[in-house]
Amino acid sequence: MNEKLINKEKLPEHIAIIMDGNGRWAKQQGKLRVFGHENGAKAVKRVVEGCAELGIKNLTLYAFSTENWKRPKMEVETLMKLLVSSLKKELKTLLQNNIKLNAIGNIETLPKKVQSELLEVMEKTKDNNRMTLTMALSYGGREEIKNAVVELCTKVKNNIISPDIIDESIINNHLYTQNLPDVDLLIRTSGEYRVSNFLLWQIAYAELYFTKTLWPDFTKEHLWEAIINYQNRERRFGKTSEQLN
Ligand code: IPE
Ligand code: IPE
Ligand code: MG
């Protein structure tokens, strides 16, 4: 797959990725799941750099779902430790590449060490403007929508807003992703064809791209392939093909 085949005028403004298959990747080699997560972190680095190099403005990565808390305690602890060490290690890469770190999800439920490391990296990268990298951590799409509903109801109850002014843009402004554009391209690795509670509102008109490649095997070339595939689609947003041309 050749990077030159990518049309720089037609880049997705926002790419979101469900990084799946770490456990199976490790198992295939007779290793523990943790080994898969460690190698998954290397794929994150490749893809973050790849997106920044192309000029993608927003990349959102699903790293830990609200449902992932149900995994064995050992695995959850390892994932949290890996998060802290990756944040420490990659701060330099983010600064060198002018990338801003952002986090979405129920951040308060994360271990204190993860929260403080996240806050530190977000603070140090807050003025970067080449690309926004958003990590979805303890994230659930339904919980995000539920929180927005509660906030809006509270505002109505306290007479801060009237219910008749609630429209899609106001709902959008009460989501974790209020500062991000809608997702244009959603990628899921590992051959699973589901969205697993990721960005339910934001993917309403996203192009979906599924690949059998397991996340630790995902390279810049795979990223390019997904973008080229996206660029060859016609996004009609309800209109007819004739209306677009
Ligand atoms: C994705 O890989 C990483 C996380 C969900 C944290 P998995 O750990 O889900 O790997 P599989 O799906 O079991 O292979
Ligand atoms: C989705 O992967 C969550 C992340 C990639 C962080 P899972 O592996 O947890 O998804 P399901 O449970 O198989 O749908
Ligand atoms: Mg999985």
Side-chain angles (χ1 to χ4, degrees), residues 18-20 62-65 68 71 188 192 194 196:
I18 303 174
M19 312 182 287
D20 198 13
Y62 204 7
F64 195 84
S65 71
N68 287 148
R71 291 193 179 193
R188 182 170 189 149
E192 305 295 355
R194 53 179 176 263
S196 303

